PDB file of all heavy atoms in Angstrom:
ATOM      1  N   GLY A  33       0.796  -1.229   0.000  1.00  0.00           N
ATOM      2  CA  GLY A  33       0.000   0.000   0.000  1.00  0.00           C
ATOM      3  C   GLY A  33       0.819   1.265   0.000  1.00  0.00           C
ATOM      4  O   GLY A  33       0.269   2.363  -0.075  1.00  0.00           O
ATOM      5  N   LYS A  34       2.133   1.145   0.061  1.00  0.00           N
ATOM      6  CA  LYS A  34       3.010   2.323   0.031  1.00  0.00           C
ATOM      7  C   LYS A  34       3.020   2.925  -1.366  1.00  0.00           C
ATOM      8  O   LYS A  34       3.238   2.230  -2.349  1.00  0.00           O
ATOM      9  CB  LYS A  34       4.425   1.927   0.443  1.00  0.00           C
ATOM     10  CG  LYS A  34       5.452   3.053   0.355  1.00  0.00           C
ATOM     11  CD  LYS A  34       6.840   2.534   0.725  1.00  0.00           C
ATOM     12  CE  LYS A  34       7.906   3.596   0.573  1.00  0.00           C
ATOM     13  NZ  LYS A  34       9.255   3.066   0.921  1.00  0.00           N
ATOM     14  N   LEU A  35       2.785   4.228  -1.441  1.00  0.00           N
ATOM     15  CA  LEU A  35       2.834   4.942  -2.711  1.00  0.00           C
ATOM     16  C   LEU A  35       4.258   5.409  -2.956  1.00  0.00           C
ATOM     17  O   LEU A  35       4.801   6.213  -2.190  1.00  0.00           O
ATOM     18  CB  LEU A  35       1.883   6.145  -2.692  1.00  0.00           C
ATOM     19  CG  LEU A  35       1.890   7.038  -3.936  1.00  0.00           C
ATOM     20  CD1 LEU A  35       1.450   6.259  -5.178  1.00  0.00           C
ATOM     21  CD2 LEU A  35       0.991   8.257  -3.721  1.00  0.00           C
ATOM     22  N   GLY A  36       4.881   4.902  -4.009  1.00  0.00           N
ATOM     23  CA  GLY A  36       6.263   5.239  -4.304  1.00  0.00           C
ATOM     24  C   GLY A  36       6.412   6.293  -5.381  1.00  0.00           C
ATOM     25  O   GLY A  36       5.447   6.895  -5.840  1.00  0.00           O
ATOM     26  N   TRP A  37       7.660   6.518  -5.787  1.00  0.00           N
ATOM     27  CA  TRP A  37       8.019   7.473  -6.830  1.00  0.00           C
ATOM     28  C   TRP A  37       7.572   8.897  -6.506  1.00  0.00           C
ATOM     29  O   TRP A  37       7.053   9.612  -7.358  1.00  0.00           O
ATOM     30  CB  TRP A  37       7.467   7.043  -8.190  1.00  0.00           C
ATOM     31  CG  TRP A  37       8.113   5.815  -8.750  1.00  0.00           C
ATOM     32  CD1 TRP A  37       7.579   4.564  -8.828  1.00  0.00           C
ATOM     33  CD2 TRP A  37       9.435   5.720  -9.302  1.00  0.00           C
ATOM     34  NE1 TRP A  37       8.477   3.682  -9.392  1.00  0.00           N
ATOM     35  CE2 TRP A  37       9.624   4.367  -9.701  1.00  0.00           C
ATOM     36  CE3 TRP A  37      10.479   6.630  -9.501  1.00  0.00           C
ATOM     37  CZ2 TRP A  37      10.818   3.928 -10.278  1.00  0.00           C
ATOM     38  CZ3 TRP A  37      11.651   6.176 -10.084  1.00  0.00           C
ATOM     39  CH2 TRP A  37      11.818   4.844 -10.473  1.00  0.00           C
ATOM     40  N   VAL A  38       7.733   9.296  -5.235  1.00  0.00           N
ATOM     41  CA  VAL A  38       7.343  10.638  -4.797  1.00  0.00           C
ATOM     42  C   VAL A  38       8.587  11.497  -4.627  1.00  0.00           C
ATOM     43  O   VAL A  38       9.461  11.177  -3.818  1.00  0.00           O
ATOM     44  CB  VAL A  38       6.572  10.602  -3.462  1.00  0.00           C
ATOM     45  CG1 VAL A  38       6.146  12.011  -3.065  1.00  0.00           C
ATOM     46  CG2 VAL A  38       5.382   9.668  -3.552  1.00  0.00           C
ATOM     47  N   GLN A  39       8.671  12.593  -5.377  1.00  0.00           N
ATOM     48  CA  GLN A  39       9.770  13.510  -5.155  1.00  0.00           C
ATOM     49  C   GLN A  39       9.643  14.093  -3.751  1.00  0.00           C
ATOM     50  O   GLN A  39       8.568  14.493  -3.313  1.00  0.00           O
ATOM     51  CB  GLN A  39       9.789  14.641  -6.183  1.00  0.00           C
ATOM     52  CG  GLN A  39      11.025  15.522  -6.055  1.00  0.00           C
ATOM     53  CD  GLN A  39      10.999  16.740  -6.952  1.00  0.00           C
ATOM     54  OE1 GLN A  39      10.307  16.770  -7.973  1.00  0.00           O
ATOM     55  NE2 GLN A  39      11.742  17.765  -6.580  1.00  0.00           N
ATOM     56  N   GLN A  40      10.765  14.142  -3.047  1.00  0.00           N
ATOM     57  CA  GLN A  40      10.748  14.610  -1.674  1.00  0.00           C
ATOM     58  C   GLN A  40      10.547  16.127  -1.600  1.00  0.00           C
ATOM     59  O   GLN A  40      10.493  16.818  -2.619  1.00  0.00           O
ATOM     60  CB  GLN A  40      12.039  14.194  -0.969  1.00  0.00           C
ATOM     61  CG  GLN A  40      12.190  12.677  -0.840  1.00  0.00           C
ATOM     62  CD  GLN A  40      11.065  12.034  -0.053  1.00  0.00           C
ATOM     63  OE1 GLN A  40      10.964  12.179   1.157  1.00  0.00           O
ATOM     64  NE2 GLN A  40      10.194  11.308  -0.748  1.00  0.00           N
ATOM     65  N   ILE A  41      10.408  16.647  -0.385  1.00  0.00           N
ATOM     66  CA  ILE A  41      10.155  18.069  -0.169  1.00  0.00           C
ATOM     67  C   ILE A  41      11.226  18.889  -0.883  1.00  0.00           C
ATOM     68  O   ILE A  41      12.420  18.667  -0.703  1.00  0.00           O
ATOM     69  CB  ILE A  41      10.135  18.385   1.341  1.00  0.00           C
ATOM     70  CG1 ILE A  41       8.948  17.678   1.999  1.00  0.00           C
ATOM     71  CG2 ILE A  41      10.056  19.893   1.570  1.00  0.00           C
ATOM     72  CD1 ILE A  41       8.961  17.739   3.513  1.00  0.00           C
ATOM     73  N   ALA A  42      10.790  19.820  -1.716  1.00  0.00           N
ATOM     74  CA  ALA A  42      11.708  20.570  -2.559  1.00  0.00           C
ATOM     75  C   ALA A  42      10.994  21.803  -3.106  1.00  0.00           C
ATOM     76  O   ALA A  42       9.850  22.078  -2.746  1.00  0.00           O
ATOM     77  CB  ALA A  42      12.211  19.691  -3.712  1.00  0.00           C
ATOM     78  N   ALA A  43      11.683  22.517  -3.982  1.00  0.00           N
ATOM     79  CA  ALA A  43      11.092  23.680  -4.640  1.00  0.00           C
ATOM     80  C   ALA A  43      11.363  23.676  -6.135  1.00  0.00           C
ATOM     81  O   ALA A  43      11.056  24.652  -6.814  1.00  0.00           O
ATOM     82  CB  ALA A  43      11.643  24.968  -4.025  1.00  0.00           C
ATOM     83  N   LYS A  44      11.919  22.575  -6.653  1.00  0.00           N
ATOM     84  CA  LYS A  44      12.264  22.503  -8.070  1.00  0.00           C
ATOM     85  C   LYS A  44      12.366  21.043  -8.487  1.00  0.00           C
ATOM     86  O   LYS A  44      12.388  20.143  -7.629  1.00  0.00           O
ATOM     87  CB  LYS A  44      13.589  23.223  -8.328  1.00  0.00           C
ATOM     88  CG  LYS A  44      14.765  22.606  -7.594  1.00  0.00           C
ATOM     89  CD  LYS A  44      16.042  23.388  -7.833  1.00  0.00           C
ATOM     90  CE  LYS A  44      17.213  22.768  -7.070  1.00  0.00           C
ATOM     91  NZ  LYS A  44      18.468  23.523  -7.296  1.00  0.00           N
ATOM     92  N   PRO A  45      12.452  20.765  -9.775  1.00  0.00           N
ATOM     93  CA  PRO A  45      12.591  19.382 -10.231  1.00  0.00           C
ATOM     94  C   PRO A  45      13.853  18.732  -9.670  1.00  0.00           C
ATOM     95  O   PRO A  45      14.904  19.362  -9.585  1.00  0.00           O
ATOM     96  CB  PRO A  45      12.682  19.529 -11.757  1.00  0.00           C
ATOM     97  CG  PRO A  45      12.074  20.845 -12.069  1.00  0.00           C
ATOM     98  CD  PRO A  45      12.380  21.725 -10.898  1.00  0.00           C
ATOM     99  N   ASP A  46      13.715  17.459  -9.304  1.00  0.00           N
ATOM    100  CA  ASP A  46      14.856  16.729  -8.766  1.00  0.00           C
ATOM    101  C   ASP A  46      14.643  15.241  -9.022  1.00  0.00           C
ATOM    102  O   ASP A  46      13.585  14.816  -9.499  1.00  0.00           O
ATOM    103  CB  ASP A  46      15.035  17.023  -7.274  1.00  0.00           C
ATOM    104  CG  ASP A  46      16.474  16.825  -6.810  1.00  0.00           C
ATOM    105  OD1 ASP A  46      17.255  16.183  -7.552  1.00  0.00           O
ATOM    106  OD2 ASP A  46      16.820  17.296  -5.710  1.00  0.00           O
ATOM    107  N   SER A  47      15.618  14.436  -8.632  1.00  0.00           N
ATOM    108  CA  SER A  47      15.554  12.997  -8.850  1.00  0.00           C
ATOM    109  C   SER A  47      14.534  12.343  -7.922  1.00  0.00           C
ATOM    110  O   SER A  47      14.180  12.888  -6.876  1.00  0.00           O
ATOM    111  CB  SER A  47      16.933  12.368  -8.639  1.00  0.00           C
ATOM    112  OG  SER A  47      17.384  12.602  -7.318  1.00  0.00           O
ATOM    113  N   VAL A  48      14.083  11.160  -8.321  1.00  0.00           N
ATOM    114  CA  VAL A  48      13.064  10.415  -7.585  1.00  0.00           C
ATOM    115  C   VAL A  48      13.437   8.938  -7.635  1.00  0.00           C
ATOM    116  O   VAL A  48      14.012   8.469  -8.618  1.00  0.00           O
ATOM    117  CB  VAL A  48      11.654  10.602  -8.206  1.00  0.00           C
ATOM    118  CG1 VAL A  48      10.577  10.068  -7.266  1.00  0.00           C
ATOM    119  CG2 VAL A  48      11.386  12.052  -8.557  1.00  0.00           C
ATOM    120  N   ASP A  49      13.054   8.215  -6.578  1.00  0.00           N
ATOM    121  CA  ASP A  49      13.327   6.782  -6.497  1.00  0.00           C
ATOM    122  C   ASP A  49      12.013   6.034  -6.251  1.00  0.00           C
ATOM    123  O   ASP A  49      11.079   6.588  -5.660  1.00  0.00           O
ATOM    124  CB  ASP A  49      14.318   6.495  -5.368  1.00  0.00           C
ATOM    125  CG  ASP A  49      14.745   5.047  -5.337  1.00  0.00           C
ATOM    126  OD1 ASP A  49      15.685   4.674  -6.044  1.00  0.00           O
ATOM    127  OD2 ASP A  49      14.116   4.269  -4.586  1.00  0.00           O
ATOM    128  N   ALA A  50      11.975   4.790  -6.652  1.00  0.00           N
ATOM    129  CA  ALA A  50      10.765   3.979  -6.476  1.00  0.00           C
ATOM    130  C   ALA A  50      10.354   3.869  -5.017  1.00  0.00           C
ATOM    131  O   ALA A  50       9.165   3.701  -4.709  1.00  0.00           O
ATOM    132  CB  ALA A  50      10.977   2.593  -7.070  1.00  0.00           C
ATOM    133  N   GLU A  51      11.303   3.947  -4.078  1.00  0.00           N
ATOM    134  CA  GLU A  51      11.003   3.794  -2.658  1.00  0.00           C
ATOM    135  C   GLU A  51      10.598   5.101  -1.990  1.00  0.00           C
ATOM    136  O   GLU A  51      10.162   5.091  -0.842  1.00  0.00           O
ATOM    137  CB  GLU A  51      12.214   3.201  -1.930  1.00  0.00           C
ATOM    138  CG  GLU A  51      12.520   1.761  -2.298  1.00  0.00           C
ATOM    139  CD  GLU A  51      11.351   0.835  -1.982  1.00  0.00           C
ATOM    140  OE1 GLU A  51      10.788   0.938  -0.872  1.00  0.00           O
ATOM    141  OE2 GLU A  51      10.989   0.020  -2.850  1.00  0.00           O
ATOM    142  N   ASP A  52      10.754   6.214  -2.674  1.00  0.00           N
ATOM    143  CA  ASP A  52      10.434   7.510  -2.079  1.00  0.00           C
ATOM    144  C   ASP A  52       8.927   7.669  -1.930  1.00  0.00           C
ATOM    145  O   ASP A  52       8.164   7.440  -2.862  1.00  0.00           O
ATOM    146  CB  ASP A  52      10.963   8.647  -2.957  1.00  0.00           C
ATOM    147  CG  ASP A  52      12.480   8.723  -2.973  1.00  0.00           C
ATOM    148  OD1 ASP A  52      13.103   8.199  -2.035  1.00  0.00           O
ATOM    149  OD2 ASP A  52      13.039   9.310  -3.920  1.00  0.00           O
ATOM    150  N   THR A  53       8.505   8.091  -0.744  1.00  0.00           N
ATOM    151  CA  THR A  53       7.091   8.351  -0.504  1.00  0.00           C
ATOM    152  C   THR A  53       6.953   9.596   0.343  1.00  0.00           C
ATOM    153  O   THR A  53       7.928  10.084   0.935  1.00  0.00           O
ATOM    154  CB  THR A  53       6.409   7.144   0.174  1.00  0.00           C
ATOM    155  OG1 THR A  53       4.984   7.322   0.131  1.00  0.00           O
ATOM    156  CG2 THR A  53       6.843   6.981   1.624  1.00  0.00           C
ATOM    157  N   GLN A  54       5.755  10.136   0.409  1.00  0.00           N
ATOM    158  CA  GLN A  54       5.469  11.289   1.253  1.00  0.00           C
ATOM    159  C   GLN A  54       3.966  11.428   1.416  1.00  0.00           C
ATOM    160  O   GLN A  54       3.185  11.020   0.546  1.00  0.00           O
ATOM    161  CB  GLN A  54       6.042  12.578   0.666  1.00  0.00           C
ATOM    162  CG  GLN A  54       7.349  13.037   1.296  1.00  0.00           C
ATOM    163  CD  GLN A  54       7.190  13.457   2.754  1.00  0.00           C
ATOM    164  OE1 GLN A  54       6.087  13.444   3.301  1.00  0.00           O
ATOM    165  NE2 GLN A  54       8.283  13.839   3.390  1.00  0.00           N
ATOM    166  N   MET A  55       3.579  12.051   2.520  1.00  0.00           N
ATOM    167  CA  MET A  55       2.163  12.166   2.850  1.00  0.00           C
ATOM    168  C   MET A  55       1.381  13.023   1.866  1.00  0.00           C
ATOM    169  O   MET A  55       0.216  12.742   1.570  1.00  0.00           O
ATOM    170  CB  MET A  55       2.002  12.731   4.262  1.00  0.00           C
ATOM    171  CG  MET A  55       2.443  11.767   5.349  1.00  0.00           C
ATOM    172  SD  MET A  55       1.966  12.353   6.986  1.00  0.00           S
ATOM    173  CE  MET A  55       3.136  13.673   7.218  1.00  0.00           C
ATOM    174  N   TYR A  56       2.002  14.089   1.351  1.00  0.00           N
ATOM    175  CA  TYR A  56       1.254  14.958   0.442  1.00  0.00           C
ATOM    176  C   TYR A  56       0.876  14.218  -0.835  1.00  0.00           C
ATOM    177  O   TYR A  56      -0.168  14.504  -1.429  1.00  0.00           O
ATOM    178  CB  TYR A  56       2.035  16.235   0.125  1.00  0.00           C
ATOM    179  CG  TYR A  56       3.496  16.050  -0.214  1.00  0.00           C
ATOM    180  CD1 TYR A  56       3.911  15.582  -1.465  1.00  0.00           C
ATOM    181  CD2 TYR A  56       4.477  16.353   0.723  1.00  0.00           C
ATOM    182  CE1 TYR A  56       5.246  15.419  -1.765  1.00  0.00           C
ATOM    183  CE2 TYR A  56       5.822  16.196   0.434  1.00  0.00           C
ATOM    184  CZ  TYR A  56       6.207  15.734  -0.814  1.00  0.00           C
ATOM    185  OH  TYR A  56       7.549  15.570  -1.108  1.00  0.00           O
ATOM    186  N   ALA A  57       1.699  13.260  -1.259  1.00  0.00           N
ATOM    187  CA  ALA A  57       1.355  12.471  -2.442  1.00  0.00           C
ATOM    188  C   ALA A  57       0.185  11.539  -2.147  1.00  0.00           C
ATOM    189  O   ALA A  57      -0.681  11.320  -3.003  1.00  0.00           O
ATOM    190  CB  ALA A  57       2.558  11.679  -2.927  1.00  0.00           C
ATOM    191  N   VAL A  58       0.154  10.978  -0.943  1.00  0.00           N
ATOM    192  CA  VAL A  58      -0.975  10.141  -0.543  1.00  0.00           C
ATOM    193  C   VAL A  58      -2.260  10.965  -0.562  1.00  0.00           C
ATOM    194  O   VAL A  58      -3.304  10.518  -1.046  1.00  0.00           O
ATOM    195  CB  VAL A  58      -0.733   9.521   0.843  1.00  0.00           C
ATOM    196  CG1 VAL A  58      -1.991   8.806   1.347  1.00  0.00           C
ATOM    197  CG2 VAL A  58       0.441   8.547   0.790  1.00  0.00           C
ATOM    198  N   GLY A  59      -2.189  12.191  -0.026  1.00  0.00           N
ATOM    199  CA  GLY A  59      -3.361  13.061  -0.064  1.00  0.00           C
ATOM    200  C   GLY A  59      -3.838  13.309  -1.482  1.00  0.00           C
ATOM    201  O   GLY A  59      -5.043  13.267  -1.767  1.00  0.00           O
ATOM    202  N   ALA A  60      -2.890  13.570  -2.397  1.00  0.00           N
ATOM    203  CA  ALA A  60      -3.254  13.825  -3.788  1.00  0.00           C
ATOM    204  C   ALA A  60      -3.823  12.572  -4.454  1.00  0.00           C
ATOM    205  O   ALA A  60      -4.762  12.655  -5.256  1.00  0.00           O
ATOM    206  CB  ALA A  60      -2.034  14.334  -4.559  1.00  0.00           C
ATOM    207  N   PHE A  61      -3.258  11.404  -4.139  1.00  0.00           N
ATOM    208  CA  PHE A  61      -3.784  10.138  -4.662  1.00  0.00           C
ATOM    209  C   PHE A  61      -5.235   9.944  -4.228  1.00  0.00           C
ATOM    210  O   PHE A  61      -6.094   9.553  -5.028  1.00  0.00           O
ATOM    211  CB  PHE A  61      -2.922   8.981  -4.151  1.00  0.00           C
ATOM    212  CG  PHE A  61      -3.316   7.623  -4.658  1.00  0.00           C
ATOM    213  CD1 PHE A  61      -2.701   7.074  -5.768  1.00  0.00           C
ATOM    214  CD2 PHE A  61      -4.297   6.874  -4.019  1.00  0.00           C
ATOM    215  CE1 PHE A  61      -3.064   5.813  -6.243  1.00  0.00           C
ATOM    216  CE2 PHE A  61      -4.670   5.614  -4.475  1.00  0.00           C
ATOM    217  CZ  PHE A  61      -4.045   5.081  -5.598  1.00  0.00           C
ATOM    218  N   LEU A  62      -5.532  10.221  -2.964  1.00  0.00           N
ATOM    219  CA  LEU A  62      -6.892  10.050  -2.452  1.00  0.00           C
ATOM    220  C   LEU A  62      -7.844  11.090  -3.031  1.00  0.00           C
ATOM    221  O   LEU A  62      -9.028  10.795  -3.266  1.00  0.00           O
ATOM    222  CB  LEU A  62      -6.879  10.104  -0.924  1.00  0.00           C
ATOM    223  CG  LEU A  62      -6.096   8.985  -0.235  1.00  0.00           C
ATOM    224  CD1 LEU A  62      -6.042   9.210   1.273  1.00  0.00           C
ATOM    225  CD2 LEU A  62      -6.696   7.614  -0.546  1.00  0.00           C
ATOM    226  N   LEU A  63      -7.361  12.298  -3.271  1.00  0.00           N
ATOM    227  CA  LEU A  63      -8.178  13.301  -3.959  1.00  0.00           C
ATOM    228  C   LEU A  63      -8.578  12.796  -5.347  1.00  0.00           C
ATOM    229  O   LEU A  63      -9.751  12.869  -5.742  1.00  0.00           O
ATOM    230  CB  LEU A  63      -7.402  14.617  -4.103  1.00  0.00           C
ATOM    231  CG  LEU A  63      -7.426  15.600  -2.940  1.00  0.00           C
ATOM    232  CD1 LEU A  63      -6.439  16.729  -3.202  1.00  0.00           C
ATOM    233  CD2 LEU A  63      -8.818  16.161  -2.722  1.00  0.00           C
ATOM    234  N   THR A  64      -7.595  12.284  -6.073  1.00  0.00           N
ATOM    235  CA  THR A  64      -7.868  11.780  -7.418  1.00  0.00           C
ATOM    236  C   THR A  64      -8.862  10.634  -7.377  1.00  0.00           C
ATOM    237  O   THR A  64      -9.846  10.606  -8.132  1.00  0.00           O
ATOM    238  CB  THR A  64      -6.558  11.303  -8.080  1.00  0.00           C
ATOM    239  OG1 THR A  64      -5.626  12.376  -8.136  1.00  0.00           O
ATOM    240  CG2 THR A  64      -6.831  10.800  -9.490  1.00  0.00           C
ATOM    241  N   GLY A  65      -8.622   9.676  -6.499  1.00  0.00           N
ATOM    242  CA  GLY A  65      -9.506   8.524  -6.401  1.00  0.00           C
ATOM    243  C   GLY A  65     -10.928   8.905  -6.044  1.00  0.00           C
ATOM    244  O   GLY A  65     -11.889   8.342  -6.595  1.00  0.00           O
ATOM    245  N   SER A  66     -11.074   9.875  -5.147  1.00  0.00           N
ATOM    246  CA  SER A  66     -12.427  10.265  -4.721  1.00  0.00           C
ATOM    247  C   SER A  66     -13.207  10.883  -5.882  1.00  0.00           C
ATOM    248  O   SER A  66     -14.402  10.628  -6.049  1.00  0.00           O
ATOM    249  CB  SER A  66     -12.357  11.240  -3.539  1.00  0.00           C
ATOM    250  OG  SER A  66     -11.778  12.477  -3.929  1.00  0.00           O
ATOM    251  N   GLU A  67     -12.532  11.705  -6.696  1.00  0.00           N
ATOM    252  CA  GLU A  67     -13.199  12.300  -7.854  1.00  0.00           C
ATOM    253  C   GLU A  67     -13.499  11.247  -8.912  1.00  0.00           C
ATOM    254  O   GLU A  67     -14.572  11.231  -9.524  1.00  0.00           O
ATOM    255  CB  GLU A  67     -12.335  13.413  -8.447  1.00  0.00           C
ATOM    256  CG  GLU A  67     -12.277  14.665  -7.605  1.00  0.00           C
ATOM    257  CD  GLU A  67     -13.623  15.342  -7.476  1.00  0.00           C
ATOM    258  OE1 GLU A  67     -14.313  15.540  -8.494  1.00  0.00           O
ATOM    259  OE2 GLU A  67     -14.009  15.678  -6.334  1.00  0.00           O
TER     260      GLU A  67
END
């Protein structure tokens, strides 16, 4: 259930890894799913 490929806290484009996750991405995933 872990959502991966999340760029970490930043202010510009940067690298991402399959294991990277963050809460704001989970929130956005749930927003999308609800709509």
Side-chain angles (χ1 to χ4, degrees):
K34 176 183 177 181
L35 177 62
W37 291 106
V38 182
Q39 186 187 337
Q40 296 300 288
I41 295 171
K44 62 182 179 180
D46 205 344
S47 60
V48 192
D49 186 86
E51 292 300 314
D52 291 339
T53 192
Q54 259 294 358
M55 291 190 286
Y56 46 77
V58 172
F61 182 95
L62 296 175
L63 275 172
T64 302
S66 66
E67 288 296 312

